[in-house]
């Protein structure tokens, strides 16, 4: 089995908890940071190093919406859909992005540059409507501003 | 009237750094307490301050701490609930981004009071900057001897670990949060046993909200009487309110408990966008029952809102201007709850989806005259019958929206049904929202 | 010891018990889906909510520990209302396909659905469509639309069988039960999840569509396939018009016994029911004529066996006769055997079967290495005076060398049910081999006579399990074909040999004859 994380990385994560099982979420987070998503092989890898049945790992991967089961585009766009953003037009933002990127929610552009997702409240209601691209937060955004941001991302 | 107590560092440049925090007197309280206070004294002081939990339920903090058995041979834990996800709420993120050391010092002091050796800060997975700054603050605190073995030369030792969530609102519920730290799905536990007796890893555990803990250094610095004096008779301190929706200046405002709602909206948040009238306000985050326009002359504190049939919740004030479709707004809220239902217990798993289905059908113009009553009935049978408060949280908006804006849930276009004849369903945002 | 009141009835129970357990003891059935007495409580279906004095909200009876002085009501309008609402929530997305559901007749959802008369629905939306006829593994098939996500099966694998083979994936209304994607559900204890599934989500591929459960009769017995002696229910149908494949027995299920098997049994035992109607069952007395064994009547075979025994005793004395008793026979059979062959005929060449195979599989749950159900029983009875017992290997050797002229074998080789094609432990010999057993085997080719015996579910008897627990069982159904209970065969043989058996030895055997079934 391919070792996705180094021994030290695993040891550091295990050291935070009194049992191995508890390190599951940080292990999955670390795997996703490295590989962009959590593959079936990665689930088995996590199960093996934490001595869990793969179904336990699978339950956690499937439960938490941030764990991604398939590879995504270079840039992950999250459009907040919750109430405060919705009141200020998140739906317009989402529709614009769908058209602009010619993809639906949960899909990735053909050039693997962008993946479009919706998100529950990002706790940025003061910057509504807000959009998160990778680790960066944008808000309040207009469709026009988003076009500029996407241009930048495509260049970079 | 804005008071800068909890947020006193927020406007300073590099407010998140240890240097700025210390320059403002940070960790002075920790030194004082470790040198000359017993844990019992800390608990007593917090009790006298009338500090109540800021996560939503408003439970007196010192009493919660008091449930932890003193003679337990097991290790004890404190979990900092930084899983802020209640729509309309963004106060904890601001604390972690602007003044993470305040939370860290509060955690250390509280851990000392309870006799905890290990603390976990459960941060929402989506919080990138807040996470970075919290981790940096913890590292700085270790480096300065505020954390780790024999803190500041005392016999007290504490480790703090950051545990990231991964996209699940329910993990803000304290037993789901505990399950999540244990590496499991966020399925809330059946209580009893309560976490104070059997929590994280089966050990006595206290789960406190970020804002709650951030108040602790202030209480121990300036005294319980001062803190209690900032608030109402039953609830000490200031409150971080987050105002969003159809207002001119959405944002975080630190205000005394009991500040009138309309004053907040008009004076702090700069009034409603476009000079419109207010149609309704959700006073404490998405799960709090909505207040109609005629109910807004109200003071914002735990007890007053409770008496008005709503909740202060997490202090997330969401303003809905006239022109907003209440159907679309409720559908938005209920989609959120249905999406975040853990699926463990029957009423919430089935009820939240059913509610969404009915609302979607009404939105398609296929509503029936019986729908409003069915919606209320489903909500009433969810509330109080679920494993955790999510059932209640999903039910509250349904009951209040449908009862207060019944016309909008009946067949035929309501007064503010939003754009029709388009291929999309009516948007939550008003016509020019 | 807390004393509590439930619906006006008072009960004192040990501390730590939950309200639902106390109610069960009082015979008050609180509806439940996720609660199962053999598993940890989940508290998730919310069906068992009851009213408890001084607590404003309804509480789940399965998670609420009894407290002294507690007053519980399970029959109020609020409780009924809660049950109706939970049923409504579960039924809105349920296919309500009872007529084609194999669980029909033993489904909790169906029972409550009719009890609470939730026949009309106010659900106007589109019902969930999920996976139908999803094969989880060689024995289990899943219908996701019927699943109520009670998690009993998940907890069973986690808490009882020890490997977490199932999980509930996704969340909210999208949550579903499954194995790890692509993983086949295989476990030595799989069948139990069908028993405990409160609805028709998990059904047994072996059992399903063979019988409607209400047409089955139930008898009680003891599983004869290892030394654990799991208590079982035998589900059978004697009405040949509605039998499938001419079979009488359709399944074994575990019967609760906290001292032996709790609520569980292994799949080997469970599917061992097939041996009762197996093609290999010996249905008539068989007598050798040349190369063939031909069916004869009981009178003829008994007379012939008695004659051969008498002849051998006359020509070679007791030394010329050997008796091998497999530890699959009941204590009563063993006692009758001792009376006839040892006490009356003076035979000392007697063995109580071959030793346990040390390489056989065993686990810490139920399965015992010793595949014989009554080795302890035979040891306790003492077939021959102590010190005079002959190891089976020595007896077999005596037979193979020709020292033993007539070998009478009682019972089935315990290995036979687990490996029907396996070698016979009885070597070739020149003498007269008489077999008294239920199922055909390779040694039959060398037998002079085969006397068909009932299987344990078809006779009364007593097994002593590996822990020394004495377990009596009654016949669940009549023996197959011409087969007779072992004691009855020995009684007839004694009669033909004109020896008077002490009545105590075979009295039980006579009574076994009339099959009894109980529910």
């Amino acid at each position: 089995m391919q070792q996705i994380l180094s021994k030290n990385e695993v040891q550091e994560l295990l050291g935070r908890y009194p049992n191995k099982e508890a390190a599951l979420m940080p292990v999955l987070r670390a795997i996703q940071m490295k590989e962009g998503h959590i593959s079936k092989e990665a689930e088995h890898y996590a199960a093996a190093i934490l001595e869990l049945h793969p179904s336990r790992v699978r339950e956690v991967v499937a439960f938490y919406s941030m764990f991604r089961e398939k590879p995504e585009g270079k840039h992950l766009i999250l459009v907040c859909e919750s109430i405060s953003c919705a009141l200020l037009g998140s739906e317009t933002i989402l529709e614009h992005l769908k058209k602009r990127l010619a993809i639906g929610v949960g899909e990735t552009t053909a050039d693997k540059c962008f993946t479009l997702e919706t998100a529950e409240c990002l706790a940025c209601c003061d910057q509504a409507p807000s959009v998160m691209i990778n680790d960066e937060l944008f808000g309040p955004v207009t469709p026009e501003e988003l076009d500029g941001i996407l241009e930048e991302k495509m260049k970079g | 009237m804005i008071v800068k107590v909890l947020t006193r560092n927020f406007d300073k440049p590099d407010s998140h750094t240890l240097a700025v925090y210390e320059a403002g007197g940070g960790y002075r309280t920790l030194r004082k307490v470790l040198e000359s206070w017993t844990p019992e004294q800390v608990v007593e002081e917090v009790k006298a301050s009338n500090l109540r939990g800021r996560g939503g339920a408003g439970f007196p903090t010192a009493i919660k701490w008091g449930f932890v058995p003193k003679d337990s041979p097991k290790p004890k834990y404190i979990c900092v609930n930084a899983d802020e996800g209640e729509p309309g709420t963004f106060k904890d993120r601001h604390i972690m981004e602007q003044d993470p050391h305040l939370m860290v010092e509060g955690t250390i002091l509280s851990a000392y009071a309870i006799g905890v050796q290990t603390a976990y800060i459960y941060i929402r997975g989506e919080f990138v900057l807040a996470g970075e700054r919290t981790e940096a603050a913890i590292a700085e605190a270790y480096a300065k001897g505020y954390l780790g073995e024999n803190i500041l030369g005392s016999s007290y030792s504490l480790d703090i670990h950051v545990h990231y969530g991964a996209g699940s609102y329910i993990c803000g519920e304290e037993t789901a949060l505990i399950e999540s730290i244990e590496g499991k799905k966020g399925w809330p536990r059946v209580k009893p046993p309560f976490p104070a007796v059997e929590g994280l890893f089966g050990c006595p555990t206290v789960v406190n909200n970020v804002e709650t803990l951030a108040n602790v250094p202030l209480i121990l610095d300036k005294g319980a009487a001062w803190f209690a004096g900032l608030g109402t008779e039953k609830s000490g301190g200031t409150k971080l309110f987050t105002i969003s929706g159809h207002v001119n200046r959405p944002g975080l405002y630190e205000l005394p408990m009991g500040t009138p709602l309309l004053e907040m909206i008009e004076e702090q948040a700069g009034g409603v966008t476009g000079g419109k009238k207010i149609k309704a306000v959700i006073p404490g985050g998405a799960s709090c029952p909505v207040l109609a326009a005629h109910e807004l002359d109200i003071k914002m504190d735990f007890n007053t809102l409770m008496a008005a049939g709503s909740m202060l919740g997490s202090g997330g004030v969401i303003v809905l201007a006239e022109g907003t479709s209440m159907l679309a707004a409720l559908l938005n809220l209920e989609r959120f709850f249905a999406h975040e239902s853990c699926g463990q217990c029957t009423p919430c798993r089935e009820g939240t989806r059913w509610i969404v289905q009915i609302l979607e059908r009404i939105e398609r113009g296929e509503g029936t005259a019986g729908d409003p009553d069915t919606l209320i009935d489903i909500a009433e049978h969810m509330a109080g019958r679920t494993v955790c408060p999510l059932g209640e949280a999903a039910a509250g908006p349904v009951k209040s929206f449908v009862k207060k804006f019944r016309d909008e849930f009946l067949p035929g276009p309501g007064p503010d049904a939003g754009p029709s004849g388009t291929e999309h369903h009516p948007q939550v945002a008003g016509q020019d929202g | 010891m807390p004393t509590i009141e439930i619906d006006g009835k008072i009960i004192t129970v040990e501390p730590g018990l939950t309200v639902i357990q106390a109610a069960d003891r009082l015979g008050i059935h609180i509806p439940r889906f996720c609660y199962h007495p053999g598993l940890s409580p989940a508290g998730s279906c919310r069906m068992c909510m009851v009213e408890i004095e001084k607590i404003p909200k309804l509480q789940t009876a399965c998670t609420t520990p009894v407290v002294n002085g507690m007053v519980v009501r399970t029959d109020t309008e609020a409780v009924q209302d809660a049950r109706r609402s939970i049923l409504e929530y579960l039924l809105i997305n349920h296919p309500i396909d009872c007529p084609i559901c194999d669980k029909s007749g033993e489904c909790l959802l169906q029972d409550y659905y009719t009890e609470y008369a939730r026949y009309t629905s106010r659900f106007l939306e589109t019902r969930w469509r999920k996976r139908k006829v999803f094969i989880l593994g060689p024995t289990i098939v899943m219908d996701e639309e019927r699943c109520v996500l009670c998690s009993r099966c998940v907890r069973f694998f986690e808490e009882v069988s020890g490997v977490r083979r199932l999980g509930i994936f996704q969340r909210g209304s999208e949550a579903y039960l499954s194995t790890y994607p692509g993983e086949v559900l295989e476990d030595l204890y799989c069948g139990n999840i069908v028993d405990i599934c409160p609805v028709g989500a998990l059904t047994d591929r072996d059992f399903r569509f063979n019988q409607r459960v209400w047409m089955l009769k139930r008898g009680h017995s003891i599983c004869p396939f290892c030394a654990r002696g799991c208590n079982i229910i035998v589900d059978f149908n004697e009405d040949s018009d509605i039998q499938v494949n001419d079979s009488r027995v359709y399944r074994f299920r575990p019967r609760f016994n906290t001292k032996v098997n709790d609520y569980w049994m292994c799949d080997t035992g469970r599917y061992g029911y097939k041996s009762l109607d197996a093609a290999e069952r010996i249905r008539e007395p068989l007598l050798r004529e040349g190369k063939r064994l031909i069916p004869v009547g009981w009178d003829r075979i008994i007379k012939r066996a008695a004659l051969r025994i008498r002849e051998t005793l006359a020509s070679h004395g007791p030394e010329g006769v050997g008796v091998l008793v497999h530890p699959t026979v009941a204590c009563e059979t063993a006692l009758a055997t001792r009376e006839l062959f040892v006490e009356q005929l003076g035979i000392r060449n007697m063995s109580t079967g071959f030793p346990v195979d040390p390489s056989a599989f065993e686990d810490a749950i139920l399965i015992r290495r010793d595949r014989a159900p009554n080795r302890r029983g035979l040891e306790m009875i003492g077939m021959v005076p102590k010190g005079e017992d002959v190891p089976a290997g020595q007896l077999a050797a005596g037979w193979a060398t020709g020292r033993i002229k007539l070998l009478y074998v009682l019972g089935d080789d315990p290995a036979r049910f687990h490996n029907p094609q396996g070698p016979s432990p009885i070597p070739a010999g020149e003498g007269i081999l008489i077999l008294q057993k239920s199922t055909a085997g390779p040694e039959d080719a060398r037998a002079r006579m085969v006397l068909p015996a009932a299987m344990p579910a078809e006779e009364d008897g007593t097994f002593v399990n590996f822990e020394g627990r004495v377990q009596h069982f009654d016949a669940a159904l009549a023996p197959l074909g011409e087969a007779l209970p072992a004691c009855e065969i020995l009684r007839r043989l004694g009669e033909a040999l004109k020896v008077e058996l002490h009545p105590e030895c075979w009295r039980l055997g006579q009574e076994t004859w009339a099959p009894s079934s109980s529910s």
Side-chain angles (χ1 to χ4, degrees):
Chain A
M1 186 177 285
Q2 192 209 336
Q3 302 298 307
I4 300 169
L5 305 176
S6 75
K7 227 176 197 149
N8 285 345
E9 283 171 300
V10 174
Q11 279 311 316
E12 197 278 314
L13 297 177
L14 288 175
R16 300 177 190 178
Y17 306 93
N19 65 37
K20 285 190 169 179
E21 185 177 15
L24 178 55
M25 285 183 63
V27 162
L28 292 174
R29 186 179 161 95
I31 290 171
Q32 181 157 298
M33 278 183 171
K34 260 192 191 160
E35 308 213 309
H37 73 291
I38 296 163
S39 63
K40 295 276 173 293
E41 294 72 31
E43 285 177 356
H44 281 94
Y45 164 74
I49 60 173
L50 301 175
E51 293 164 21
L52 294 170
H53 192 278
S55 74
R56 267 277 290 112
V57 177
R58 177 94 202 115
E59 278 190 333
V60 167
V61 171
F63 184 88
Y64 294 96
S65 56
M66 283 179 73
F67 291 133
R68 311 186 63 81
E69 296 169 36
K70 50 180 202 247
E72 62 199 34
K74 191 175 165 198
H75 304 289
L76 174 65
I77 307 173
L78 293 175
V79 180
C80 176
E81 271 199 315
S82 288
I83 185 74
S84 300
C85 286
L87 287 168
L88 295 170
S90 61
E91 187 152 332
T92 313
I93 298 289
L94 185 64
E95 289 307 317
H96 177 76
L97 284 171
K98 281 190 205 167
K99 268 190 205 127
R100 171 77 173 67
L101 301 171
I103 52 172
V105 173
E107 293 175 0
T108 300
T109 52
D111 61 0
K112 303 271 182 269
C113 194
F114 296 104
T115 298
L116 182 61
E117 289 278 1
T118 59
E120 300 296 4
C121 183
L122 294 168
C124 300
C125 321
D126 46 349
Q127 297 160 56
S130 58
V131 170
M132 200 168 175
I133 303 179
N134 305 328
D135 293 347
E136 211 178 336
L137 203 71
F138 299 92
V141 284
T142 61
E144 295 69 36
E145 286 164 358
L146 266 177
D147 284 345
I149 296 165
L150 296 189
E151 287 299 327
E152 285 299 310
K153 296 284 173 198
M154 273 156 77
K155 277 183 215 154
Chain B
M1 174 200 62
I2 299 243
V3 273
K4 291 263 181 187
V5 177
L6 211 57
T7 57
R8 67 189 191 282
N9 290 333
F10 278 27
D11 299 332
K12 298 176 186 168
D14 295 326
S15 63
H16 59 281
T17 60
L18 181 62
V20 174
Y21 186 67
E22 282 181 327
Y27 291 111
R28 198 174 58 193
T29 311
L30 177 64
R31 195 176 295 276
K32 174 182 84 177
V33 166
L34 289 182
E35 275 169 9
S36 54
W37 291 40
T38 63
E40 291 73 26
Q41 282 175 294
V42 177
V43 176
E44 280 311 308
E45 197 70 16
V46 172
K47 187 182 272 176
S49 77
N50 283 346
L51 174 64
R52 289 171 66 169
R54 301 292 199 246
F59 197 82
T61 304
I63 293 180
K64 192 173 194 177
W65 293 356
F67 292 145
V68 174
K70 299 209 166 26
D71 48 359
S72 170
K74 295 177 182 171
K76 299 172 187 135
Y77 294 101
I78 189 165
C79 300
V80 184
N81 189 343
D83 191 47
E84 185 167 52
E86 177 84 8
T89 313
F90 45 91
K91 62 192 180 62
D92 297 336
R93 179 174 65 80
H94 275 286
I95 295 175
M96 288 183 279
E97 287 179 0
Q98 327 264 70
D99 202 359
H101 281 286
L102 188 62
M103 169 181 70
V104 172
E105 188 180 3
T107 305
I108 303 169
L109 289 164
S110 306
Y112 173 71
I114 310 162
V116 163
Q117 313 286 297
T118 310
Y120 293 94
I121 302 181
Y122 189 101
I123 302 182
R124 257 190 92 171
E126 294 91 338
F127 283 0
V128 179
L129 183 61
E132 280 171 13
R133 291 198 169 164
T134 300
E135 289 196 56
I138 292 170
E140 284 180 315
Y142 267 107
K144 265 296 191 67
Y146 298 135
L147 276 174
E149 293 284 309
N150 302 106
I151 296 172
L152 297 173
S154 73
S155 61
Y156 180 63
S157 304
L158 174 71
D159 284 312
I160 297 184
H161 303 292
V162 168
H163 184 103
Y164 284 99
S168 166
Y169 165 75
I170 195 57
C171 290
E173 193 277 341
E174 60 182 15
T175 58
L177 182 145
I178 286 169
E179 289 279 302
S180 188
I181 296 179
E182 290 184 3
K184 298 171 189 158
K185 293 183 291 188
W187 275 19
R189 294 179 183 172
V190 173
K191 286 145 279 204
F194 289 94
V197 179
E198 208 179 305
L200 187 61
F201 306 117
C203 300
T205 301
V206 166
V207 182
N208 280 145
N209 171 261
V210 171
E211 183 190 348
T212 310
L213 293 176
N215 275 304
V216 173
L218 308 175
I219 293 167
L220 300 180
D221 180 26
K222 297 190 172 158
W226 166 83
F227 187 84
L230 291 172
T232 60
E233 189 190 338
K234 290 193 173 146
S235 180
T238 61
K239 176 81 192 85
L240 299 186
F241 289 98
T242 54
I243 311 181
S244 64
H246 294 138
V247 291
N248 286 318
R249 286 197 302 271
L252 173 82
Y253 300 96
E254 182 173 12
L255 299 165
M257 276 285 184
T259 299
L261 175 60
L262 285 173
E263 180 190 314
M264 270 183 211
I265 296 169
E266 294 303 331
E267 292 177 22
Q268 270 73 44
V272 179
T273 41
K276 288 189 187 175
K277 284 186 185 153
I278 302 175
K279 182 168 183 179
V281 175
I282 301 169
S287 58
C288 299
V290 70
L291 299 173
H294 66 277
E295 298 172 296
L296 304 180
D297 185 11
I298 193 169
K299 286 185 171 173
M300 293 289 281
D301 62 68
F302 290 113
N303 295 22
T304 309
L305 278 164
M306 194 82 86
S310 188
M311 293 184 288
L312 182 67
S314 52
V317 177
I318 306 164
V319 177
L320 286 68
E322 60 179 347
T324 307
S325 160
M326 297 308 271
L327 170 63
L330 181 61
L331 177 55
N332 178 284
L333 296 173
E334 295 303 317
R335 276 187 179 141
F336 170 79
F337 290 116
H339 183 252
E340 298 301 335
S341 167
C342 81
Q344 176 184 201
C345 77
T346 310
C348 175
R349 179 184 67 234
E350 304 295 335
T352 52
R353 176 179 144 87
W354 190 5
I355 286 167
V356 167
Q357 286 179 303
I358 293 175
L359 293 171
E360 285 174 343
R361 182 165 49 73
I362 298 173
E363 194 184 52
R364 287 196 305 271
E366 296 166 20
T368 68
D371 287 336
D373 288 337
T374 304
L375 283 166
I376 291 169
D377 193 59
I378 296 168
E380 279 174 350
H381 282 98
M382 273 163 62
R385 294 185 179 170
T386 47
V387 171
C388 83
L390 196 130
E392 199 100 39
V398 174
K399 288 190 278 184
S400 59
F401 271 70
V402 178
K403 282 178 185 165
K404 293 175 186 178
F405 301 92
R406 193 182 176 91
D407 285 356
E408 297 192 40
F409 298 89
L410 283 168
D416 290 316
S420 57
T422 64
E423 57 179 316
H424 308 300
H425 57 77
Q427 298 189 0
V428 183
Q431 262 132 354
D432 52 359
Chain C
M1 299 269 280
T3 296
I4 73 164
E5 183 187 319
I6 306 177
D7 294 346
K9 292 183 187 168
I10 309 283
I11 188 172
T12 302
V13 295
E14 57 272 29
L17 232 61
T18 56
V19 171
I20 206 168
Q21 289 171 313
D24 278 349
R25 285 196 193 170
L26 281 169
I28 297 170
H29 181 83
I30 299 173
R32 75 283 305 264
F33 292 107
C34 67
Y35 170 74
H36 186 279
L39 303 170
S40 68
S44 62
C45 76
R46 316 305 283 176
M47 188 66 186
C48 71
M49 283 188 291
V50 294
E51 243 181 82
I52 299 175
E53 223 169 62
K54 299 193 191 86
I55 304 180
K57 284 183 186 173
L58 298 178
Q59 300 293 307
T60 43
C62 72
T63 59
T64 307
V66 293
V67 174
N68 196 35
M70 192 179 250
V71 179
V72 179
R73 301 228 49 120
T74 77
D75 54 359
T76 63
E77 178 45 35
V79 171
Q80 305 282 321
D81 178 61
R83 290 176 187 169
R84 281 194 299 268
S85 79
I86 298 299
L87 282 173
E88 181 175 41
Y89 289 132
L90 290 177
L91 288 166
I92 53 173
N93 283 302
H94 189 280
I96 318 187
D97 55 349
C98 309
I100 56 154
C101 177
D102 205 53
K103 200 76 174 198
S104 199
E106 49 187 12
C107 168
L108 291 178
L109 186 58
Q110 184 184 37
D111 293 349
Y112 303 144
Y113 167 69
T114 48
E115 187 179 343
Y116 290 89
R118 304 248 40 167
Y119 300 126
T120 51
S121 173
R122 52 178 173 166
F123 186 69
L124 305 174
E125 327 309 324
T126 311
R127 186 168 66 72
W128 257 125
R129 298 293 168 166
K130 295 188 179 179
R131 289 188 294 190
K132 307 286 281 184
V133 203
F134 185 72
I135 304 292
L136 284 181
T139 59
I140 310 290
V141 62
M142 161 100 187
D143 185 315
E144 269 180 15
E145 292 186 350
R146 296 183 191 144
C147 179
V148 295
L149 295 167
C150 71
S151 81
R152 278 184 181 184
C153 51
V154 179
R155 282 174 285 147
F156 172 80
F157 283 121
E158 197 162 29
E159 298 168 13
V160 182
S161 110
V163 182
R164 205 180 192 289
R165 300 195 187 279
L166 289 173
I168 294 177
F169 304 108
Q170 296 296 345
R171 67 190 193 197
S173 57
E174 293 190 22
Y176 65 96
L177 172 81
S178 180
T179 53
Y180 186 86
E183 198 172 279
V184 174
L185 182 64
E186 284 180 293
D187 190 277
L188 297 169
Y189 294 89
C190 260
N192 294 292
I193 64 172
V194 174
D195 300 336
I196 62 175
C197 179
V199 295
L202 300 172
T203 47
D204 189 318
R205 295 177 70 189
D206 178 71
F207 176 75
R208 73 196 223 121
F209 306 141
N210 279 337
Q211 293 284 304
R212 302 278 16 189
V213 295
W214 55 85
M215 292 177 172
L216 292 171
K217 288 184 184 168
R218 302 169 79 192
H220 291 180
S221 194
I222 302 293
C223 175
F225 300 118
C226 89
R228 173 74 57 179
C230 291
N231 293 204
I232 58 169
I233 295 167
V234 180
D235 285 324
F236 64 99
N237 190 339
E238 288 172 316
D239 181 351
S240 57
D241 287 346
I242 45 175
Q243 286 175 354
V244 174
N245 299 329
D246 294 330
S247 291
R248 305 162 303 153
V249 182
Y250 291 90
R251 61 180 179 185
F252 283 173
R253 283 181 292 148
R255 183 161 48 92
F256 173 62
N257 186 334
T258 181
K259 304 276 174 51
V260 181
N261 56 305
D262 274 331
Y263 300 87
W264 324 116
M265 71 187 296
C266 76
D267 282 2
T268 306
R270 180 181 299 270
Y271 299 116
Y273 82 85
K274 293 179 182 179
S275 59
L276 276 155
D277 292 306
E280 292 79 20
R281 270 302 291 276
I282 304 156
R283 286 165 167 78
E284 294 154 299
L286 301 171
L287 182 65
R288 181 157 303 282
E289 274 194 7
K291 288 196 167 170
R292 295 194 312 133
L293 283 166
I294 58 150
V296 294
W298 272 109
D299 283 352
R300 194 166 158 205
I301 202 105
I302 290 284
K303 270 185 202 148
R304 185 62 69 92
L307 176 68
R308 293 296 175 231
I309 292 168
R310 228 179 354 233
E311 279 175 1
T312 311
L313 286 170
S315 57
H316 294 87
E319 290 302 305
V321 179
V323 180
L324 174 66
V325 186
H326 281 302
T328 47
V329 302
C331 291
E332 290 77 357
T333 306
L335 284 167
T337 305
R338 185 176 74 182
E339 177 68 14
L340 174 60
F341 290 101
V342 180
E343 306 295 340
Q344 300 294 338
L345 302 179
I347 292 159
R348 285 291 189 271
N349 277 327
M350 179 167 293
S351 174
T352 53
F354 292 85
V356 180
D357 175 3
S359 68
F361 174 78
E362 179 169 279
D363 64 22
I365 307 166
L366 293 174
I367 299 169
R368 301 296 304 172
R369 182 163 290 131
D370 183 359
R371 302 292 196 252
N374 200 30
R375 197 178 297 272
R376 250 335 251 290
L378 265 53
E379 281 169 19
M380 281 164 74
I381 285 162
M383 296 297 290
V384 285
K386 230 181 164 45
E388 292 183 28
D389 43 334
V390 184
Q394 201 176 313
L395 193 74
W399 163 251
T401 56
R403 187 171 56 77
I404 291 168
K405 305 294 177 193
L406 183 146
L407 182 63
Y408 195 101
V409 181
L410 288 104
D412 292 87
D413 172 15
R416 177 74 1 97
F417 296 114
H418 302 277
N419 182 11
Q421 308 309 322
S424 170
I426 301 163
E430 294 301 313
I432 299 161
L433 180 62
I434 304 176
L435 304 173
Q436 172 184 328
K437 59 171 184 172
S438 62
T439 303
E443 64 275 13
D444 301 5
R446 304 190 293 271
R448 198 72 70 85
M449 294 165 228
V450 184
L451 287 63
M455 290 198 69
E458 299 165 336
E459 64 178 1
D460 294 4
T462 305
F463 286 155
V464 182
N465 86 347
F466 75 104
E467 294 170 304
R469 188 163 304 281
V470 178
Q471 304 197 92
H472 181 76
F473 51 91
D474 293 329
L477 71 165
L480 180 68
E482 297 289 308
L484 288 174
C487 284
E488 174 61 16
I489 299 172
L490 291 170
R491 189 191 66 79
R492 292 187 185 189
L493 188 61
E495 210 170 67
L497 284 162
K498 300 205 165 43
V499 295
E500 203 165 315
L501 300 187
H502 192 280
E504 283 302 307
C505 304
W506 47 269
R507 195 169 52 84
L508 267 172
Q510 252 181 339
E511 286 176 358
T512 34
W513 220 152
S516 63
S517 67
S518 49
S519 54

